[in-house]
Amino acid sequence: MKEDFLKYQAQTTPHPLAMEISHAKGSYIYSIQGKKYLDFVAGVSACSLGHCHPRVVNAIKEQAEKYLHVMVYGEYALSPAVALTKLLASKLPKSLSKTYLTNSGTEAIEGALKLARRSTERSEIIAARMAYHGNTMGSLSLMSFEERVAPFRPLIGDISFINFNTEEDFKSITENTAAVILETIQGGAGFIVPTDNYLQKLKSHCEKVGALLILDEIQPGFGRTGKLFGFEHFNMVPDILVMGKGMGGGLPIGAFTASEKVMDTLMDNPKLGHITTFGGNPVIAAAALATLQEITESDLMAEALQKEKLIRKLLVHPLITEIRGMGLMLAAITISEEMATTIILKAQEKGLILFWLLFEKTAIRITPPLTITTQEIKEGCGIIIDILNEIESQF
């Protein structure tokens, strides 16, 4: 299978990990060789409830027996999509009442950008340096990392950048600005959390100049930070909320949410202002609904904060300089890029799945399923500490 994978399936790097997967259950992934791996990555934050959660699997099976795709998005009323968007509205502030379902997080970003320009009738979009919002052309245009964007220029225009957590840069946000778009917690940059009421102050400034504030919750969303969405920690509400990854229980989905007044601008002038064939797919919406129900009806969000404390307590070592992030969206910062890579590769050899972050090369991603147990956390952190002790003399 590995040979065929490398020969026939397009790759994203010259050296993929190429683990050959047999099956996955709970917090573990199993290879076709029979090896068991404890998953501290959860499909890069996508598998919120672990692998093959019974509630999600049952929802998929039940919906698959009723109907699959029947019509392009927004024309027919499909019960899983209606129930999902209604439940979302009940869990969000009143100003976030209407949701557009998409196939992925990056597609939701594209929709949010169009919505901001359409509803404000302005064109300028301001993003944060070292942000990551996806890889489609609009999302890529929000990336300041020239090494990654240069080969694909020209990108979409009228994009400028500010520094995250820097109030001085608010002066760049003016009456010409359609929207400011930020990750609530910067992911690829190293799980950077907003400080000193930054988001609250930014929202206030946006309101003064008539710009919208878009928050990208594709990684923090659906309970990973200890609340359903990360912005709930910061005493403010975005104008447009973008989500993805963890909302699907392991299936591909994204969404953007805004007020009815703002969202309805996509319906007319022009009609079909934003369209998709498979967005709101009933099977995927059923999985997302089951995921949202499980997360909001259980103690998983409160437990995420307790599990964060345990991880921080266990991962104390001279080679770890800092643990960043919130809840189960954490990054262990090491002393060098070489060390981070060594730890990640050795961990896989020892049956623990870790991963890199996009821009912060000294970081090790720790984003396990919300359902991970205390014992599994101890097991995984123990492997990391053992590796650090093994390599300490090399660094």
Side-chain angles (χ1 to χ4, degrees):
M1 185 165 67
K2 183 176 178 179
E3 289 181 6
D4 286 348
F5 167 68
L6 296 173
K7 183 175 181 179
Y8 297 111
Q9 187 171 338
Q11 305 300 313
T12 56
T13 69
H15 305 289
L17 293 173
M19 187 190 300
E20 298 170 293
I21 304 302
S22 165
H23 62 286
K25 186 73 174 176
S27 300
Y28 292 91
I29 297 175
Y30 299 81
S31 73
I32 63 172
Q33 291 80 22
K35 188 169 181 179
K36 177 181 178 182
Y37 297 86
L38 176 59
D39 188 0
F40 260 34
V41 176
V44 189
S45 302
C47 302
S48 303
L49 299 178
H51 300 285
C52 295
H53 189 280
R55 188 166 185 172
V56 176
V57 171
N58 288 336
I60 292 168
K61 288 179 177 178
E62 289 176 11
Q63 182 56 45
E65 292 176 350
K66 294 176 182 176
Y67 56 89
L68 306 181
H69 177 71
V70 291
M71 177 53 71
V72 294
Y73 180 75
E75 290 298 323
Y76 289 177
L78 310 180
S79 58
V82 172
L84 172 60
T85 53
K86 183 178 180 180
L87 182 56
L88 264 175
S90 75
K91 300 297 181 183
L92 288 168
K94 289 183 179 180
S95 60
L96 295 172
S97 60
K98 207 162 193 177
T99 296
Y100 194 117
L101 299 172
T102 67
N103 302 289
S104 65
T106 191
E107 184 188 317
I109 293 290
E110 302 284 338
L113 296 179
K114 290 173 66 178
L115 179 61
R117 284 182 166 177
R118 174 66 186 84
S119 62
T120 63
E121 298 184 342
R122 303 175 182 180
S123 63
E124 182 186 50
I125 304 290
I126 295 178
R129 292 183 178 89
M130 301 306 288
Y132 177 75
H133 298 285
N135 267 276
T136 48
M137 291 299 281
S139 300
L140 192 66
S141 302
L142 305 172
M143 188 184 295
S144 67
F145 194 44
E146 189 62 19
E147 176 186 325
R148 299 190 68 86
V149 302
F152 307 106
R153 291 192 183 280
L155 303 175
I156 69 169
D158 216 357
I159 305 286
S160 58
F161 296 94
I162 59 175
N163 294 302
F164 193 78
N165 273 336
T166 304
E167 292 178 43
E168 182 183 344
D169 286 359
F170 289 177
K171 62 181 180 289
S172 301
I173 305 163
T174 70
E175 286 81 3
N176 295 319
T177 305
V180 177
I181 180 167
L182 301 176
E183 299 159 275
T184 305
I185 298 173
Q186 281 202 310
F191 290 9
I192 308 299
V193 176
T195 57
D196 193 28
N197 293 318
Y198 173 72
L199 291 179
Q200 189 177 5
K201 294 172 183 175
L202 175 60
K203 176 65 184 299
S204 178
H205 182 82
C206 287
E207 288 175 344
K208 288 178 183 177
V209 299
L212 301 182
L213 178 57
I214 304 170
L215 285 186
D216 176 343
E217 292 263 2
I218 293 170
Q219 289 202 64
F222 270 38
R224 185 156 290 280
T225 66
K227 292 186 181 291
L228 190 58
F229 293 100
F231 75 83
E232 296 176 84
H233 292 281
F234 302 110
N235 196 29
M236 54 77 65
V237 179
D239 297 294
I240 304 174
L241 174 68
V242 180
M243 62 198 86
K245 284 190 185 295
M247 71 181 292
L251 292 187
I253 189 171
F256 56 103
T257 302
S259 68
E260 183 176 6
K261 178 181 178 181
V262 170
M263 191 65 79
D264 284 354
T265 61
L266 289 179
M267 287 198 304
D268 205 3
N269 295 322
K271 292 181 174 62
L272 306 176
H274 191 66
I275 55 176
T276 172
T277 298
F278 289 110
N281 176 275
V283 176
I284 295 174
L289 176 61
T291 300
L292 180 57
Q293 290 169 332
E294 182 66 22
I295 289 172
T296 56
E297 293 170 8
S298 69
D299 295 325
L300 287 172
M301 287 189 282
E303 290 173 1
L305 297 174
Q306 296 304 313
K307 292 169 183 176
E308 174 194 354
K309 291 179 182 178
L310 178 59
I311 291 170
R312 289 182 180 276
K313 178 181 177 182
L314 294 172
L315 290 185
V316 176
H317 194 278
L319 299 184
I320 295 178
T321 63
E322 183 182 1
I323 303 288
R324 295 182 189 158
M326 299 178 70
L328 290 176
M329 182 179 174
L330 301 174
I333 309 300
T334 67
I335 63 174
S336 70
E337 177 181 349
E338 181 187 1
M339 175 180 289
T341 294
T342 298
I343 294 166
I344 291 165
L345 296 179
K346 282 186 173 292
Q348 181 168 314
E349 293 174 5
K350 294 176 180 289
L352 175 67
I353 297 175
L354 301 170
F355 210 61
W356 296 266
L357 295 185
L358 191 61
F359 303 132
E360 178 50 80
K361 300 300 185 181
T362 66
I364 297 169
R365 171 186 285 274
I366 300 174
T367 56
L370 305 187
T371 51
I372 195 166
T373 67
T374 297
Q375 185 55 43
E376 288 165 347
I377 290 172
K378 291 178 179 177
E379 177 188 345
C381 290
I383 291 172
I384 295 171
I385 294 297
D386 286 346
I387 293 169
L388 290 168
N389 289 335
E390 287 175 18
I391 68 173
E392 189 167 10
S393 61
Q394 301 173 29
F395 295 91

